[in-house]
Amino acid sequence: MLKLRGRTVALRKSFQEPRLLIITYRADIPERLRANFAFLTDSELPSSEGFAAVLVRGAVSDAQLDASGATDVYRLGDEYHYLDEGDIVRLNPAQDTLGALFRVRSPNNTILLTEQCNHYCLMCSQPPRAVDDFWIMEEVLELIRLIPPGTPSLGFSGGEPTLYGDRFVRLVRHVKNHLPHTHVDILTNGRAFKDQGFADALGDVRHPSLLLGIPLYSDDPVRHDFVVQSSGAFDETVRGILNLRRANVGVELRIVIHRETLPRLVQTCRFIARNLLFVRHVALMGLEITGFTRANLDQLWIDPVEYRDTLSEAAAVLTDYGINTSIYNHQLCLVNPDVYPIYKKSISDWKNEFLDECESCERKADCGGFFSSSVQYRHSTNIRPMHKVLSA
Amino acid sequence: MSKFQPLTFYDRNGGAGRGAGKPSYELMPFRFTELDPQRFVLSNQAGEYLVLPKKDLYDFAEHRLDATTEAYLDLRSHQFLIDAHTNVAKELLAIKVRTRYERVANFTGLHIFVVTLRCEHSCPYCQVSRQSEDSSAFDMTSEQADAAIDLALRSPSKAIKIEFQGGEPLLNFPLIRYIVAETKRKAQGSRELGFVIATNLAIVTDEVLEFCREEGVCISTSLDGPQDLHNKNRPRTGRDSYQRAISGIKRARDAIGKENVSALMTTTEASLGHVKEIIDEYLALDFKGIFLRPLSPYGFAIKTKSYRAYSVDRWLEFYKEGLDYVIELNRKGIAFREFYASMVLKKMLTFEDPGYVDLMSPAGVALGAIVYNYDGAVFASDEARMLAEMGDDKFRLGHVLENTYEEIFLNETLLEALEASFSYSVPMCTDCAFEPYCGADPVQHWGLQKDFVGRKTESEFCARNMAIFKHLIKLMESDAGIKRLFTTWAQ
């Protein structure tokens, strides 16, 4: 597991306010450019005047610091070993913290927009907080300006991003203007789009590659409302999805499978096939053992080996109707072979691990593995090394 | 105390058996029909069905169904009821119903040109063909063809399909050439054009196939089964109809590609009892499916008693045996479809309409397909011109040289037939759970009962389709594997 946020040790400090900085190993970039960059080095400290900050991994002497001309120098722990040329970090001198906001080599860059939410899902991995954190938006707009235009894809999550209202729509337009070739995934509960005007406003952005990931946990409105802990959520979400369709905005449905969604999983997929056939993708997702899931673990946990046949049946309903379907967050040895074609290695690189018994598995390379949190807190007791099937 | 609420917290105020026990759900429009003595089929406005035990249906209809039962949850998620928790059903139904009827706005897509009535076959069940050398008496003229093309291109439909029928249309091949060229010229790329020749392939030449390849013309042929049966059903000089069809299919596939050559079979009395051999014949020829069709009750079929030679029950027996066999084939890993079931299943399992003329409501006559006959007369459907051959030109809408587009499509008889037969409002149909799957067939009912609507209790159309609908649903209810197979057929 990669540690994306952590502490720094300040060696020299001249500014206090948080800044977004681009990581570089090159000390020789023109001085005029350096104000946006954090120069990252192991122990050598060449002249580094003009860099917004210097980040050192090893030990440096005061003499070196003096000679370098650097005004803001921080020492990083080993946990930041992954930082790479072009990555974007948030340095907060006031609290001596540093967070990696964007990693050039990662396919899983997700930007958190707010921790506020109008849902309170039983298995929320990012428990909502009732704090005014809308200041984040300004920083995100700045971050978007720094991200390289060749970036293939970018994700946004919350909390509930649509709580920003019109500012949410402006964000999407901003992303389109700065990163016109970048695919954008946004996680939202979709309820705000019950207002056709809001859906139309998003549609009017005409983002060339936008997909809203919306959860639909049951065809039974009561069960959906229960899972998200909010009365009336089901109807608003379904209306939102219909309105987004009218506004020509792409929608992906996401179903997290646990003991409370499993009883109607097949019926839910049938409901999608009969009513929301136009969705671009449906993701059937395993449980991440973090956030509220840990609090509700005994209520939610079921070993995937116990529902493998139900998963196959649910997936078949969707694929038989021609719906683009994926299975996320499952281990290959726990699903039936009939779903291999839609099985995806989905767990973000920074929180993806395997068990010791996986080392001898001949299909490890095809397996998505575990969330770090699963390894730590709860995983199937039925993990078995697999053998390669010789193709005939 | 947990900060999370239990499921029951969100289930307050819904359904019967809650709180004060006062039922509090509203019924959405639905229909029900007995499937067997224990079970009923319920269908919603968009044609989604549920099979429920009699008791659940009664409880549901009388507002006393417990909201915690599976039946309640299924009824709610299939838009049979709304309650305090959800009313999005109205919007979902509206969208689906609109999608289902979308094709009506597209208007006529299929235009049948009868380029000649002459034929070198003399099939006893054939409704219309003539054995004649006299081309002037039974061939369409280029002047008539010009007028028919103009009418076809007046249709607002973006996709126009022109099907050449006969007789044996290849006996007037020069006119086919002319019509294809003229239609393309006049459409000037404004439409998606498709062409099909319905031919027995007996006299197909390399020249014809070359033309089909160059112009993108498909071929639909007749194949009634194995050699003995086919040749018995389809006599011609030389008794070689089968051999010619087989060789024609091969040559046509080589010339225009397998996907562009299809075959249709007709069930005669001689076919009964041989459904497996007939299907095997299609399999052996590597067709991906078969359309098990009953004879239509017109023309020579009635005159020669071929039609009356078998009852609805005997045909259904034939059909069910065939369907069972097709299912068995799929279980063995041989992908093969029955196309009539596929079209019905599309209506049952999706919200799209397959656009099959016999199973449309409003009726498919003129709206789905229209016929320009060899003599320039315009008929509301293929069946309508067959009826005319029997002396009843009720559905003759006009003539290509004498009437305008408006006169033809606003023909009083047509409008009356369409309105009267709309099955949503027809006695008995309006209460039938299978109405969303069925069609209005005013021509057939007029032909047999001299009434656009017809008496459904005496209608063979109704008996046959009702039996098929029930059969398909019973199969799906009894076997999840069949339901999966049928779902793939419906796509």
Side-chain angles (χ1 to χ4, degrees):
Chain A
M1 178 157 174
L2 300 186
K3 192 169 182 186
L4 298 183
R5 268 166 284 278
R7 301 198 66 81
T8 56
V9 177
L11 302 178
R12 296 275 161 98
K13 196 191 278 189
S14 74
F15 69 87
Q16 290 292 333
E17 64 281 16
R19 291 187 186 185
L20 302 188
L21 301 171
I22 303 168
I23 297 287
T24 182
Y25 285 101
R26 301 189 320 247
D28 56 354
I29 61 174
E31 272 196 48
R32 180 84 162 78
L33 300 182
R34 292 182 181 181
N36 280 333
F37 285 85
F39 171 56
L40 179 61
T41 179
D42 287 333
S43 55
E44 287 172 32
L45 202 52
S47 165
S48 37
E49 252 174 283
F51 281 112
V54 174
L55 307 174
V56 296
R57 296 186 196 278
V60 288
S61 65
D62 278 349
Q64 277 178 292
L65 288 173
D66 291 341
S68 72
T71 52
D72 297 84
V73 185
Y74 295 83
R75 186 154 64 230
L76 299 186
D78 293 341
E79 66 268 27
Y80 290 109
H81 63 86
Y82 56 83
L83 282 181
D84 203 358
E85 182 78 27
D87 286 357
I88 301 170
V89 297
R90 178 175 195 266
L91 180 66
N92 187 353
Q95 297 178 352
D96 279 326
T97 58
L98 182 129
L101 301 184
F102 175 83
R103 289 174 300 128
V104 170
R105 280 190 303 181
S106 171
N108 310 111
N109 283 297
T110 299
I111 297 166
L112 181 123
L113 291 168
T114 175
E115 291 186 88
Q116 301 172 68
C117 193
N118 51 354
H119 278 179
Y120 207 75
C121 300
L122 298 175
M123 64 295 181
C124 182
S125 59
Q126 179 78 48
R129 296 202 303 156
V131 293
D132 181 2
D133 57 2
F134 280 176
W135 57 267
I136 294 177
M137 181 60 87
E138 282 313 309
E139 198 172 273
V140 169
L141 296 177
E142 178 58 23
L143 174 62
I144 300 302
R145 292 183 191 106
L146 299 177
I147 290 175
T151 302
S153 77
L154 203 57
F156 292 92
S157 74
E160 174 49 48
T162 58
L163 293 179
Y164 279 102
D166 292 343
R167 291 176 74 192
F168 170 78
V169 176
R170 287 207 293 276
L171 166 74
V172 177
R173 188 173 290 120
H174 181 81
V175 174
K176 179 194 167 190
N177 290 343
H178 284 272
L179 302 167
H181 308 299
T182 300
H183 170 76
V184 174
D185 288 297
I186 302 177
L187 300 184
T188 165
N189 61 41
R191 293 175 68 172
F193 302 104
K194 70 178 188 295
D195 170 7
Q196 182 72 59
F198 190 55
D200 289 342
L202 182 60
D204 287 345
V205 173
R206 293 181 192 279
H207 192 288
S209 186
L210 171 67
L211 194 60
L212 300 191
I214 297 178
L216 191 69
Y217 295 123
S218 184
D219 69 317
D220 170 6
V222 170
R223 187 165 288 276
H224 177 86
D225 289 0
F226 159 60
V227 171
V228 306
Q229 294 280 301
S230 176
S231 288
F234 177 86
D235 272 22
E236 290 189 6
T237 290
V238 171
R239 283 202 177 91
I241 294 166
L242 298 176
N243 289 343
L244 287 166
R245 162 68 170 169
R246 292 186 194 101
N248 209 15
V249 177
V251 168
E252 161 195 69
L253 297 180
R254 301 167 77 94
I255 308 174
V256 178
I257 303 170
H258 52 61
R259 204 175 274 286
E260 298 293 0
T261 56
L262 203 53
R264 302 275 308 174
L265 181 65
V266 175
Q267 292 92 327
T268 301
C269 291
R270 196 155 275 135
F271 177 85
I272 292 168
R274 294 301 304 255
N275 295 285
L276 306 171
L277 188 65
F278 53 84
V279 296
R280 303 257 175 95
H281 181 235
V282 176
L284 301 170
M285 305 168 61
L287 201 55
E288 182 173 5
I289 317 293
T290 185
F292 284 158
T293 304
R294 282 175 61 196
N296 296 317
L297 193 54
D298 290 335
Q299 183 189 354
L300 299 178
W301 172 258
I302 177 170
D303 191 321
V305 84
E306 286 181 44
Y307 65 71
R308 64 198 302 168
D309 292 338
T310 307
L311 179 62
S312 288
E313 194 185 345
V317 168
L318 296 169
T319 55
D320 285 348
Y321 273 93
I323 297 173
N324 181 20
T325 305
S326 299
I327 291 177
Y328 287 168
N329 308 351
H330 282 75
Q331 294 78 44
L332 196 61
C333 57
L334 301 183
V335 300
N336 292 326
D338 60 355
V339 301
Y340 287 173
I342 56 167
Y343 176 92
K344 302 281 159 59
K345 294 163 67 173
S346 54
I347 299 174
S348 299
D349 58 348
W350 61 274
K351 52 180 177 180
N352 188 201
E353 293 181 27
F354 285 88
L355 303 181
D356 292 342
E357 49 260 57
C358 299
E359 292 313 308
S360 64
C361 178
E362 294 173 9
R363 302 210 54 183
K364 189 181 166 197
D366 303 319
C367 180
F370 299 81
F371 286 111
S372 303
S373 59
S374 303
V375 173
Q376 197 175 351
Y377 300 110
R378 186 80 65 96
H379 57 75
S380 170
T381 52
N382 292 279
I383 300 298
R384 300 281 181 273
M386 299 173 76
H387 295 288
K388 270 230 160 65
V389 184
L390 295 175
S391 48
Chain B
M1 196 189 121
S2 168
K3 56 191 170 181
F4 296 99
Q5 301 291 349
L7 180 66
T8 48
F9 175 86
Y10 294 96
D11 205 10
R12 288 181 307 193
N13 313 318
R18 298 254 158 228
K22 201 87 169 111
S24 57
Y25 59 84
E26 232 179 281
L27 303 183
M28 297 294 284
F30 75 100
R31 290 174 277 196
F32 54 94
T33 298
E34 196 177 76
L35 184 62
D36 55 35
Q38 290 79 39
R39 299 178 299 170
F40 277 80
V41 178
L42 288 74
S43 66
N44 71 14
Q45 271 185 311
E48 271 158 279
Y49 75 84
L50 283 177
V51 175
L52 288 185
K54 200 174 193 167
K55 182 179 181 312
D56 285 352
L57 168 65
Y58 280 48
D59 284 350
F60 167 53
E62 289 166 18
H63 291 263
R64 54 167 196 252
L65 188 63
D66 189 312
T68 58
T69 58
E70 286 291 304
Y72 187 97
L73 300 184
D74 287 340
L75 286 162
R76 185 166 59 188
S77 82
H78 286 79
Q79 294 117 28
F80 286 87
L81 70 85
I82 55 176
D83 62 15
H85 301 295
T86 179
N87 58 22
V88 75
K90 295 174 188 174
E91 282 136 272
L92 293 170
L93 281 173
I95 291 169
K96 289 186 279 193
V97 169
R98 192 179 58 203
T99 307
R100 187 174 279 278
Y101 287 112
E102 220 165 28
R103 58 168 172 76
V104 178
N106 293 334
F107 219 59
T108 321
L110 178 60
H111 297 261
I112 296 171
F113 284 61
V114 180
V115 291
T116 179
L117 267 199
R118 293 181 294 132
C119 188
E120 31 63 65
H121 272 66
S122 50
C123 310
Y125 59 67
C126 178
Q127 289 92 342
V128 290
S129 73
R130 294 290 192 286
Q131 300 278 308
S132 169
E133 300 296 316
D134 183 0
S135 61
S136 64
F138 297 111
D139 284 12
M140 183 184 271
T141 65
S142 57
E143 189 191 9
Q144 289 163 346
D146 280 334
I149 292 166
D150 290 340
L151 288 170
L153 292 176
R154 283 287 304 276
S155 168
S157 179
K158 284 196 174 65
I160 300 278
K161 190 175 198 176
I162 288 182
E163 182 171 315
F164 300 105
Q165 285 197 12
E168 169 48 53
L170 292 183
L171 288 172
N172 194 5
F173 179 59
L175 190 69
I176 293 178
R177 265 188 185 286
Y178 177 78
I179 292 170
V180 170
E182 277 300 290
T183 308
K184 287 185 175 178
R185 187 182 67 78
K186 287 180 171 168
Q188 289 183 316
S190 65
R191 310 297 179 94
E192 195 183 308
L193 294 177
F195 299 94
V196 186
I197 305 177
T199 167
N200 58 44
L201 287 173
I203 56 164
V204 72
T205 61
D206 289 343
E207 182 202 357
V208 169
L209 292 175
E210 182 66 14
F211 161 78
C212 289
R213 189 183 62 73
E214 280 176 4
E215 300 294 333
V217 177
C218 297
I219 284 176
S220 168
T221 192
S222 297
L223 183 67
D224 281 2
Q227 180 166 339
D228 288 357
L229 177 62
H230 182 96
N231 282 344
K232 188 177 175 196
N233 276 352
R234 308 180 61 80
R236 78 185 295 277
T237 317
R239 292 178 185 172
D240 58 355
S241 176
Y242 175 84
Q243 288 83 348
R244 283 172 179 265
I246 299 299
S247 119
I249 288 168
K250 277 192 184 131
R251 288 161 61 209
R253 283 173 165 176
D254 286 347
I256 64 174
K258 215 172 209 172
E259 283 185 355
N260 298 319
V261 182
S262 60
L264 279 177
M265 59 86 63
T266 301
T267 309
T268 64
E269 194 193 9
S271 316
L272 302 174
H274 299 289
V275 71
K276 286 189 183 180
E277 291 98 308
I278 295 170
I279 291 168
D280 282 344
E281 184 69 31
Y282 273 69
L283 269 179
L285 283 166
D286 202 19
F287 283 109
K288 301 303 175 199
I290 192 167
F291 191 165
L292 296 174
R293 283 200 311 171
L295 266 183
S296 59
Y298 301 104
F300 295 148
I302 279 185
K303 281 187 200 158
T304 60
K305 306 293 180 207
S306 306
Y307 178 68
R308 294 290 162 187
Y310 60 85
S311 64
V312 171
D313 286 345
R314 286 188 70 197
W315 183 81
L316 283 169
E317 197 183 320
F318 169 87
Y319 181 82
K320 289 177 184 176
E321 190 191 345
L323 189 61
D324 282 347
Y325 183 52
V326 171
I327 291 167
E328 189 188 319
L329 288 170
N330 281 279
R331 286 214 172 96
K332 290 176 181 164
I334 301 167
F336 193 78
R337 291 182 184 202
E338 198 285 306
F339 291 126
Y340 194 76
S342 299
M343 286 187 293
V344 172
L345 290 165
K346 194 174 202 55
K347 289 164 163 263
M348 288 180 168
L349 300 175
T350 80
F351 46 75
E352 282 172 65
D353 191 284
Y356 178 58
V357 174
D358 290 1
L359 291 182
M360 283 184 180
S361 174
V365 293
L367 296 183
I370 193 151
V371 178
Y372 308 102
N373 211 4
Y374 70 97
D375 57 0
V378 183
F379 287 100
S381 73
D382 211 24
E383 284 73 21
R385 69 150 167 151
M386 293 169 191
L387 200 60
E389 291 294 327
M390 292 171 61
D392 182 350
D393 61 2
K394 182 79 178 170
F395 292 93
R396 185 184 185 276
L397 305 181
H399 191 278
V400 293
L401 298 178
E402 293 157 17
N403 298 99
T404 64
Y405 180 83
E406 287 76 10
E407 285 167 349
I408 288 168
F409 281 93
L410 297 177
N411 173 291
E412 279 301 323
T413 303
L414 174 64
L415 297 187
E416 195 190 330
L418 287 173
E419 188 178 341
S421 69
F422 182 50
S423 60
Y424 198 86
S425 57
V426 155
M428 293 191 74
C429 298
T430 189
D431 296 320
C432 177
F434 306 119
E435 188 278 331
Y437 317 136
C438 206
D441 201 339
V443 179
Q444 187 169 131
H445 284 112
W446 177 267
L448 295 173
Q449 301 187 344
K450 291 291 171 251
D451 185 276
F452 295 140
V453 176
R455 296 176 297 281
K456 300 304 176 188
T457 50
E458 300 163 27
S459 162
E460 297 197 349
F461 178 90
C462 177
R464 191 175 67 235
N465 282 309
M466 188 88 95
I468 290 177
F469 301 147
K470 287 184 179 177
H471 186 62
L472 294 174
I473 289 177
K474 280 181 183 169
L475 284 172
M476 288 191 280
E477 290 297 306
S478 67
D479 186 324
I482 292 179
K483 179 146 191 186
R484 270 206 74 180
L485 176 69
F486 281 7
T487 304
T488 59
W489 287 7
Q491 305 307 312

